[in-house]
Amino acid sequence: MTGSGLDERRPTVLITGANGFIGGRLATLALARGWRVRTLTRSDWATAPAVPVEQRYFGNFPDGIPAAAVDGADVVVHCAAWLGTGARGAEAVNVAGTMRLANLARDAGVSTFIFVSSQSARADAVSTYGRTKFAAEQGLLAGDDRMNVIILRPGLVTGGGRGGLFQRLCGFVDSAPVLPLLGGGRSLVQPIHVDDLCAAIFRGAERAPEFHRRILHLGQPEGLSLAEFLQAIARERTGKAKTTVAIPLWPVEQAVRLAEMLRVPLPISSNNVKGMKAVERMDTAGDLRALGIALRPLPAMVSDAVAPEDVASAKERAVRVLLIGAGRIGLVHAVVLSRLPGVVLAGIFDPNARATAMLRGMGVSAPAFTRLAEAMAATKPDAAVIATPPGTHLGLTRECLERGLAVLVEKPLAVRSEQLAEYEALAQAFPDHPIQVGYVLPRNPHVAACLQRLREGRFGRVQEFVGFTLLSLIQSSAADRWETKRAMSGGGALINAGGHVLSMIQEAFGAPQAVEAEVTRVYSAEVEDSAVVTFRYPNFAGTHYCSWSVDGYPRQENLLRVRTDRGELILTAALGVFVSDDGDVDVIHQLDFDVPFNIAPDYAGAGFAAELADLRDATRTGEPAPMDLHHALRVERLLFDVYTNAREVPAFASTSRGTPPPPRMAAKGTGTWSPRAMRRVLDLRDVSAAAAGAYLANVAATGWDEVALYAEQLRAIDTPAARARRLRVTVPDFLTQSRLLSNKRYREVIAGMGAAGVAAALRTAMPVLPSERAATFWVAAMGLLGAALHAVPPRFDGVLLLHGALADFALSLRRLDMLDRMLAACRTARPRARVGFHTNMAEETRAALWSLETRVDEVSVLTAPRASGMTAVLDALRRAAPGGEARITAEVGLAPAVVHRAAAAAPERWALGADAVLIGSWGEPQVGGARRSEMEREWAKAFPGLTMPDGVV
């Protein structure tokens, strides 16, 4: 057995679940005792306990626990638990996670491990929670004697706080005119106040050897009935008892089970109900005496229902951020702010209640407001993110600065050049409140690294460059959006979309000597839909093509190609690649960098994390962020210079515009592929259904093992081909459909579904309504999924994959219930198929797979040749997937054509231990030619008079 208890020095304690009821109170009291407190949670918080931010660790159970959290700790108090009804999640978190944490602690030399278990912990417990808590107890007791192990079984824990059963009961007693007593209210309750439980934890830590391998039962020794307990709450909170009504337990149990099947939230769970049926009196008197704990009387137990206010400064806690604007970019900020360490999304303001309702319906839990003053007063923010139309930016920035907040303003800052001077005046008037701007690409680590190497000359001497901004946003004259109104947007495609590439040009080359520009209106009445800009520097020139009216780009393409005397550097939102003149292809990807939370590693996700981390740090220190006002003004001055020099034309001049020539030598590894063990999957989802069908007619003669399609493409493909096991079908085509819906092009979406598809959509969506309680994002997503599944032949026996955007939203927002439901819908609709999902978030997927109940056969995940830790993660995905080992596919993702050709020739570089590699259509010359022809037709519509240059791909 380990040595004596804690000595006189300040001990270091790690508390799991410290943003919960018990763990939070324990951390607060431990800090008051002078203990050094560390925490391990899934996400950050901005209220009590005021644990220093550098002592907060984040991870997921069972295998996402950072070893650094336990290094140097004297005591670990494990309060976190899985409270859901799913058996797999309970086993993973309550059993496997507990043992993983204990083993890490034992190996790190921790002296004492205290496990907060449950009164319901028994081998024959009727609830999954009770059985898994008991299994964890047995595993801990079976460990060796290098670490003291103490197990506490508290009864119902009372006191101030939020989120526990006691707080839910108090809310119920406050609101219910009559108290329904389940089973007559005869269930036994042995309450203990949270502070008394914490005192027992401290006493156990101080006398750990004495209580080693002991299970200590804690709660009021004599106990009382549930009816008596509820009346005690009522008398204490309202001054009088309440009328009661006895209700048999069995119909309530059935109702709760049904509600959980429908995902309808209730004050109690089936675990609670089962616990009422099987609770046994604990003999607590002896253990309380041994610990020297005298419990407070019942009235004091039920009186304290308000948590203490946090008085910590912003430097001692997570930064509270108010999000202003709940549109498309607001959604991205909301998700990242909800997951980024050191930051808490304190609230969301948008005058449009429907916008905030959509975010909350997706799973963003922050409170929503339709009045800014109310939001400020309620959330007491330290900083604000302004994600509203540009016409509102200056006024909102001024108001936030006047309230003492640090500010991140989405780009562009201004809608008129004169406003730039007003921003400079604001910076002078409020020097202690940082202003930064959302030019996100230069803050993306792969872009920053590549541009640094370019400026240092490590890629060679710059000869010319070309940029592309391509987006499918405004594609009809009927588009009624704020972006097309000059007073609100400041301009058209260039100012609203082109700023990303423009910021990379400014960061790479600085201000040009001269700019020339032509703009044209394809659909809009007030602003340009397409622009071509020429930049002239002393020794080279470059061109930027920008349009938001190009079909085929539901997600914006931001591309910068730089030709040097050594090769070509290509930068996108996802990656950088340098193709040298001797044929080497060097890929620098977001996944190469360690990012705390990356919502979209295929599309600037690391940049959003970086800029919000900049806001967090600037708020704490007062120091300017890398993309501060000074840097952003340089970009916007260049932007307004372009507008000043722009000529509006009906068609663009057809002269050559400095498109970099292809590399002088073919890239190594882009020749003919030879058969090998690595399976290759050709992604045809970005070509038309007609082109995909034409290629599939001869697919047997190609070297590809499988082909990926959208369900919607299957309508143009012969049924026998659609049944082939060599097909991977993605459901639904979410990005395209969501873009149409956001542009109010509902008829196109419905026409694409067909009458039978619409009926399938309704059948799939309606069962979700009771749990969502409104027509939320997830109800709509289930409808789109149902229609897409209808397009898949009933006897389809290939691979069926949920769209990555839906999977990643569910993962990011921790709506694993919806991910499970969508996967279950796929399996029910097409039982012969292998079912899984696409994802760009490997780490999040690893954590989620442990708790999914639906069998997962396939996971298709974004990778990169040097992705940090990816090989181990992919291996962990197989082990975590429900139903046995899943087959893993590595995805190349959104990338220039040269990258897909390199991956087609050498797929093992991207596999990193995966079973197959998904490669874009550019990896197949036959398809690449057809796709280019389709792109040229769309290009001609957006850029009249211009031939599509080679650099687009």
Side-chain angles (χ1 to χ4, degrees):
M1 185 183 299
T2 56
S4 61
L6 299 178
D7 57 29
E8 295 301 318
R9 66 185 177 85
R10 293 173 59 197
T12 297
V13 57
L14 171 68
I15 302 171
T16 69
N19 53 353
F21 172 38
I22 297 173
R25 187 61 178 161
L26 178 65
T28 296
L29 295 176
L31 288 168
R33 284 173 167 246
W35 287 25
R36 297 182 180 91
V37 176
R38 299 177 183 175
T39 59
L40 175 59
T41 58
R42 291 200 305 170
S43 56
D44 217 327
W45 66 96
T47 56
V51 176
V53 292
E54 65 274 9
Q55 296 301 322
R56 301 183 184 192
Y57 293 85
F58 304 94
N60 290 288
F61 287 76
D63 60 354
I65 305 171
V70 296
D71 287 343
D74 301 296
V75 180
V76 171
V77 182
H78 184 28
C79 302
W82 174 272
L83 301 176
T85 58
R88 292 196 77 251
E91 289 285 344
V93 174
N94 295 346
V95 183
T98 297
M99 296 312 302
R100 169 72 173 161
L101 178 64
N103 290 334
L104 286 172
R106 186 179 288 108
D107 293 342
V110 171
S111 64
T112 301
F113 189 96
I114 299 176
F115 179 51
V116 180
S117 186
S118 168
Q119 182 177 3
S120 65
R122 294 207 323 257
D124 60 347
V126 294
S127 70
T128 302
Y129 179 75
R131 291 193 300 274
T132 53
K133 279 289 191 178
F134 180 80
E137 291 179 353
Q138 298 306 298
L140 291 171
L141 294 173
D144 60 40
D145 286 335
R146 287 181 294 158
M147 181 172 70
N148 295 306
V149 171
I150 304 170
I151 295 169
L152 306 180
R153 288 185 181 174
L156 195 155
V157 183
T158 69
R162 59 188 182 277
L165 177 59
F166 174 70
Q167 288 75 39
R168 297 199 299 274
L169 291 175
C170 287
F172 178 67
V173 170
D174 288 343
S175 60
V178 175
L179 296 181
L181 298 177
L182 306 185
R186 294 186 294 273
S187 299
L188 176 69
V189 178
Q190 290 181 271
I192 180 172
H193 191 274
V194 65
D195 287 359
D196 293 337
L197 172 58
C198 291
I201 292 172
F202 291 132
R203 201 65 53 85
E206 292 161 354
R207 296 159 54 191
E210 179 182 345
F211 299 109
H212 177 50
R213 296 188 189 278
R214 287 272 300 272
I215 297 179
L216 303 173
H217 301 84
L218 307 174
Q220 192 183 69
E222 62 276 13
L224 67 164
S225 71
L226 177 62
E228 294 170 327
F229 183 69
L230 291 175
Q231 291 291 18
I233 295 175
R235 284 191 295 270
E236 189 65 32
R237 296 172 68 85
T238 68
K240 60 181 181 180
K242 285 199 170 188
T243 303
T244 61
V245 176
I247 297 177
L249 200 57
W250 68 266
V252 174
E253 185 175 10
Q254 298 302 315
V256 170
R257 183 179 297 122
L258 176 62
E260 288 177 342
M261 290 175 59
L262 296 175
R263 273 78 168 185
V264 176
L266 293 175
I268 60 173
S269 68
S270 58
N271 279 330
N272 298 143
V273 177
K274 291 175 180 177
M276 293 176 187
K277 294 171 59 178
V279 67
E280 293 184 354
R281 185 185 303 275
M282 298 185 295
D283 183 5
T284 64
D287 291 337
L288 290 171
R289 282 195 303 272
L291 288 164
I293 302 296
L295 299 184
R296 64 197 65 199
L298 181 63
M301 284 189 186
V302 299
S303 64
D304 180 15
V306 179
E309 287 291 324
D310 177 32
V311 295
S313 70
K315 293 182 180 181
E316 298 172 307
R317 57 164 169 77
V319 173
R320 290 189 292 252
V321 179
L322 175 66
L323 174 62
I324 301 176
R328 287 177 298 147
I329 195 65
L331 168 61
V332 177
H333 285 300
V335 175
V336 179
L337 287 168
S338 299
R339 300 296 304 274
L340 191 67
V343 173
V344 167
L345 178 60
I348 307 167
F349 159 71
D350 196 302
N352 183 353
R354 292 176 61 185
T356 55
M358 191 193 85
L359 264 61
R360 290 181 59 80
M362 292 181 71
V364 177
S365 60
F369 305 89
T370 55
R371 293 191 303 150
L372 183 57
E374 181 185 358
M376 293 281 190
T379 63
K380 299 180 176 61
D382 308 300
V385 173
I386 299 174
T388 56
T392 67
H393 285 177
L394 181 60
L396 287 169
T397 300
R398 181 181 291 109
E399 183 166 357
C400 289
L401 292 173
E402 288 172 347
R403 291 176 179 270
L405 308 185
V407 180
L408 166 60
V409 190
E410 262 304 332
K411 62 94 189 155
L413 280 169
V415 295
R416 301 185 307 276
S417 60
E418 311 89 77
Q419 291 182 335
L420 300 182
E422 297 185 58
Y423 277 104
E424 290 181 306
L426 282 177
Q428 293 176 356
F430 300 96
D432 297 328
H433 305 309
I435 305 173
Q436 67 181 90
V437 187
Y439 286 101
V440 69
L441 283 187
R443 293 298 300 131
N444 212 308
H446 76 276
V447 173
C450 288
L451 291 182
Q452 178 67 23
R453 291 170 65 182
L454 179 67
R455 291 190 297 267
E456 293 172 351
R458 294 163 65 185
F459 292 129
R461 181 173 53 84
V462 175
Q463 295 180 331
E464 55 187 335
F465 68 86
V466 62
F468 297 95
T469 300
L470 305 173
L471 177 62
S472 307
L473 181 66
I474 307 301
Q475 295 182 274
S476 76
S477 57
D480 182 22
R481 306 178 60 100
W482 65 260
E483 292 96 333
T484 64
K485 297 175 173 60
R486 185 176 297 277
M488 188 58 68
S489 65
L494 190 62
I495 193 171
N496 288 287
H500 290 301
V501 170
L502 200 65
S503 66
M504 289 196 290
I505 292 172
Q506 170 70 43
E507 191 75 11
F509 312 118
Q513 287 183 327
V515 294
E516 302 167 8
E518 293 179 343
V519 298
T520 193
R521 305 180 196 185
V522 181
Y523 301 108
S524 301
E526 296 185 31
V527 299
E528 83 284 354
D529 296 308
S530 301
V532 179
V533 186
T534 301
F535 304 86
R536 303 196 183 280
Y537 292 84
N539 300 309
F540 58 89
T543 303
H544 181 195
Y545 299 89
C546 177
S547 179
W548 60 14
S549 300
V550 184
D551 199 21
Y553 292 90
R555 178 178 279 189
Q556 182 171 318
E557 175 74 58
N558 299 300
L559 178 68
L560 178 63
R561 304 176 73 111
V562 183
R563 178 68 205 172
T564 75
D565 58 357
R566 297 182 187 174
E568 186 179 13
L569 172 65
I570 310 172
L571 286 175
T572 75
L575 56 82
V577 57
F578 185 69
V579 184
S580 66
D581 285 341
D582 62 5
D584 284 332
V585 178
D586 184 22
V587 177
I588 303 97
H589 202 283
Q590 283 188 58
L591 292 173
D592 302 348
F593 300 87
D594 187 16
V595 177
F597 176 76
N598 192 338
I599 186 176
D602 66 328
Y603 192 75
F608 284 105
E611 69 177 5
L612 290 170
D614 293 340
L615 177 65
R616 173 197 65 197
D617 298 341
T619 302
R620 290 200 183 115
T621 66
E623 297 296 321
M627 185 53 70
D628 62 0
L629 182 64
H630 172 72
H631 285 80
L633 288 176
R634 291 189 301 184
V635 178
E636 303 222 352
R637 288 193 179 99
L638 176 56
L639 177 63
F640 285 112
D641 281 346
V642 172
Y643 274 120
T644 299
N645 290 279
R647 294 186 306 111
E648 185 167 355
V649 297
F652 295 103
S654 59
T655 55
S656 175
R657 293 179 176 272
T659 300
R664 296 189 182 98
M665 294 180 63
K668 290 180 180 178
T670 59
T672 303
W673 176 80
S674 57
R676 65 196 74 198
M678 180 56 56
R679 296 176 62 82
R680 301 185 313 160
V681 184
L682 178 63
D683 191 351
L684 296 180
R685 293 175 298 168
D686 54 6
V687 303
S688 68
Y695 181 75
L696 283 173
N698 299 311
V699 70
T702 71
W704 297 90
D705 299 285
E706 295 175 85
V707 173
L709 297 166
Y710 281 120
E712 291 77 4
Q713 292 171 297
L714 292 178
R715 293 191 178 95
I717 299 171
D718 291 339
T719 301
R723 292 177 178 171
R725 292 188 177 183
R726 297 176 67 183
L727 290 189
R728 295 181 175 224
V729 177
T730 299
V731 286
D733 185 358
F734 177 73
L735 291 181
T736 298
Q737 291 174 322
S738 61
R739 178 69 70 181
L740 292 173
L741 291 172
S742 70
N743 285 329
K744 301 180 181 179
R745 295 162 65 179
Y746 309 121
R747 290 185 179 180
E748 293 178 53
V749 176
I750 293 172
M753 292 179 178
V758 171
L762 292 173
R763 287 195 303 271
T764 309
M766 291 302 291
V768 187
L769 270 173
S771 60
E772 295 300 293
R773 294 181 289 183
T776 65
F777 169 88
W778 294 112
V779 174
M782 289 294 288
L784 295 176
L785 176 60
L789 288 170
H790 178 74
V792 179
R795 296 180 62 79
F796 177 73
D797 59 357
V799 176
L800 199 59
L801 296 172
L802 182 68
H803 195 287
L806 291 176
D808 287 351
F809 274 135
L811 293 168
S812 299
L813 294 164
R814 296 196 170 112
R815 287 301 306 268
L816 300 187
D817 59 325
M818 289 310 308
L819 180 56
D820 230 338
R821 291 186 80 146
M822 290 186 287
L823 292 171
C826 293
R827 189 164 294 286
T828 300
R830 300 296 177 260
R832 293 165 61 93
R834 290 177 58 83
V835 171
F837 56 94
H838 297 276
T839 179
N840 295 313
M841 308 176 72
E843 282 283 0
E844 296 291 320
T845 300
R846 177 175 70 171
L849 286 174
W850 286 106
S851 57
L852 293 178
E853 298 291 335
T854 303
R855 191 176 81 246
V856 176
D857 305 310
E858 302 271 347
V859 179
S860 191
V861 60
L862 182 72
T863 66
R866 291 193 292 263
S868 177
M870 186 63 71
T871 301
V873 173
L874 296 185
D875 184 57
L877 293 182
R878 291 191 183 89
R879 299 193 304 271
E885 289 194 356
R887 188 169 65 172
I888 308 299
T889 298
E891 296 190 6
V892 176
L894 296 174
V898 66
V899 175
H900 289 286
R901 290 195 292 267
E908 65 279 354
R909 289 185 61 197
W910 273 262
L912 305 179
D915 305 292
V917 178
L918 178 66
I919 300 164
S921 59
W922 295 115
E924 171 52 64
Q926 295 181 48
V927 180
R931 184 182 176 194
R932 181 176 176 85
S933 297
E934 293 174 350
M935 292 175 62
E936 286 173 343
R937 289 193 294 271
E938 297 304 323
W939 178 275
K941 298 175 187 176
F943 294 96
L946 287 185
T947 301
M948 189 179 80
D950 291 336
V952 178
V953 299

